């Protein structure tokens, strides 16, 4: 009986077709790395610049253009939103309007009839915020069967972990950038003004220049989208002034909660 020759894995150096998803998050070095393996390839590149976590989009764009130099391009814009109900998409569109003026928002094709709820916290004391967040989480856990997330600014992750303690595996606490792209049945966004302000403050763990306000809204409301300098202030103002649709202005921090996938 002949011995089977052991195959040594060889790293592939060239590809015929490359698919890049979440392309808005690639750094210039990552674009060059992919480009070296796809000099002769065709490409499919999918991304949303309004949700980029890279703080220098012009550099990333220049690196992508260098990689794709000489290749014919066709651009397609997705205009229909199948993921979020219209109630959530409407709030996200308002944030996007201030955070990235001129960026089109896709049209949601379905509705649940459930409007996002804005709950003001009467005090900024940690105990008061924790009690309010936990009450919202308990309410949502009773309303949906799946996972309920509470999303906070990146520097409040440890604090938020205490809010979900003892609520079971269905309750999770995440920082704004950690929540990007994930799915929940319902979400509580705590301190949305703080999330929007991360673009200026640059908290530990967050990317300076990002404005997670739009995806916090779009994911749930749910957080995480970077923009240029100054956009965070606009999103923060929007949170207080426009999202509440004429309700009494809430002191910060406040809570925004709503279904993200029903």
């Amino acid at each position: 009986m002949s011995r089977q020759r052991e195959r040594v894995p060889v790293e592939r150096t060239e590809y015929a077709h490359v698919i890049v998803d979440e392309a808005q998050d690639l750094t210039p070095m990552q674009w060059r790395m992919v480009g070296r393996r796809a000099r002769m390839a065709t490409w499919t590149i999918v991304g949303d610049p309004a949700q980029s976590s890279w703080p220098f989009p012009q550099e990333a764009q220049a690196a992508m253009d260098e990689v794709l130099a000489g290749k014919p391009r066709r651009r397609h814009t997705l205009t229909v939103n199948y993921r979020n109900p219209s109630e959530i998409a409407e709030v996200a569109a308002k944030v996007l309007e201030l955070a990235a003026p001129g960026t089109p928002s896709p049209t949601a094709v379905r509705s649940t009839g459930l409007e996002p709820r804005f709950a003001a916290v009467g005090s900024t004391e940690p105990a008061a915020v924790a009690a309010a967040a936990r009450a919202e989480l308990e309410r949502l856990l009773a309303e949906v069967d799946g996972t309920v997330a509470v999303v906070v600014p990146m520097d409040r992750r440890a604090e938020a972990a205490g809010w979900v303690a003892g609520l079971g595996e269905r309750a999770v606490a995440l920082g704004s950038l950690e929540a990007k792209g994930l799915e929940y049945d319902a979400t509580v966004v705590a301190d949305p003004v703080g999330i929007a302000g991360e673009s200026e403050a640059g908290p530990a763990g967050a990317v300076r220049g990002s404005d997670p306000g739009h995806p916090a809204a779009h994911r749930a409301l749910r957080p995480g989208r970077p923009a240029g300098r100054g956009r965070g202030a606009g999103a923060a103002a929007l949170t207080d002034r426009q999202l509440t649709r004429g309700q009494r202005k809430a002191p910060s921090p406040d809570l925004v909660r709503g279904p993200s996938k029903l």
Side-chain angles (χ1 to χ4, degrees):
M1 184 174 66
S2 62
R3 296 177 57 187
Q4 185 177 5
R5 211 163 95 188
E6 183 178 349
R7 295 185 178 181
V8 179
V10 178
E11 181 183 1
R12 185 183 294 272
T13 58
E14 287 287 343
Y15 291 84
H17 186 77
V18 172
I19 300 175
V20 181
D21 194 15
E22 302 290 353
Q24 75 277 356
D25 291 333
L26 266 64
T27 67
M29 184 59 70
Q30 288 170 330
W31 277 115
R32 297 184 189 105
M33 178 193 71
V34 178
R36 285 196 298 269
R37 291 163 173 79
R39 293 182 178 90
M40 305 301 293
T42 54
W43 294 65
T44 299
I45 300 174
V46 183
D48 180 2
Q51 296 192 48
S52 170
S53 60
W54 177 248
F56 308 108
Q58 295 85 357
E59 292 183 8
Q61 180 67 45
M64 186 188 79
D65 290 340
E66 181 180 349
V67 165
L68 300 178
K71 295 182 181 291
R73 304 188 201 181
R74 288 183 294 176
R75 179 182 295 272
H76 302 275
T77 301
L78 303 181
T79 59
V80 181
N81 177 4
Y82 296 99
R83 172 180 290 182
N84 306 108
S86 58
E87 293 84 0
I88 295 297
E90 180 183 346
V91 178
K94 290 181 178 179
V95 178
L96 182 62
E97 183 181 349
L98 278 189
T103 302
S105 183
T107 302
V109 298
R110 62 189 179 90
S111 174
T112 63
L114 300 174
E115 295 290 340
R117 195 172 86 87
F118 297 83
V121 180
S123 170
T124 58
E125 290 296 322
V129 177
R134 193 173 180 92
E136 294 295 334
L137 286 164
E138 290 174 342
R139 180 175 303 150
L140 288 173
L141 285 167
E143 291 180 1
V144 301
D145 294 328
T147 303
V148 176
V150 58
V151 183
V152 297
M154 292 295 288
D155 60 357
R156 300 189 70 173
R157 289 172 291 172
E159 181 184 358
W163 303 347
V164 303
L167 293 180
E169 294 182 352
R170 291 200 297 126
V172 296
L174 298 167
S176 57
L177 296 181
E178 296 170 325
K180 184 176 179 181
L182 303 181
E183 299 289 344
Y184 310 100
D185 290 274
T187 307
V188 174
V189 177
D191 190 7
V193 173
I195 290 172
E198 287 179 332
S199 61
E200 293 300 313
V207 178
R208 182 171 179 81
S210 72
D211 171 18
H214 168 237
H218 215 293
R219 289 188 173 88
L221 284 295
R222 302 173 297 218
R225 175 196 97 53
R229 181 177 179 83
R231 293 178 184 172
L238 178 74
T239 302
D240 272 346
R241 188 176 64 251
Q242 289 179 283
L243 297 189
T244 53
R245 299 178 182 173
Q247 298 180 33
R248 178 179 62 85
K249 183 174 180 179
S252 179
D254 56 0
L255 301 172
V256 185
R257 67 92 153 167
S260 62
K261 187 176 65 174
L262 291 177

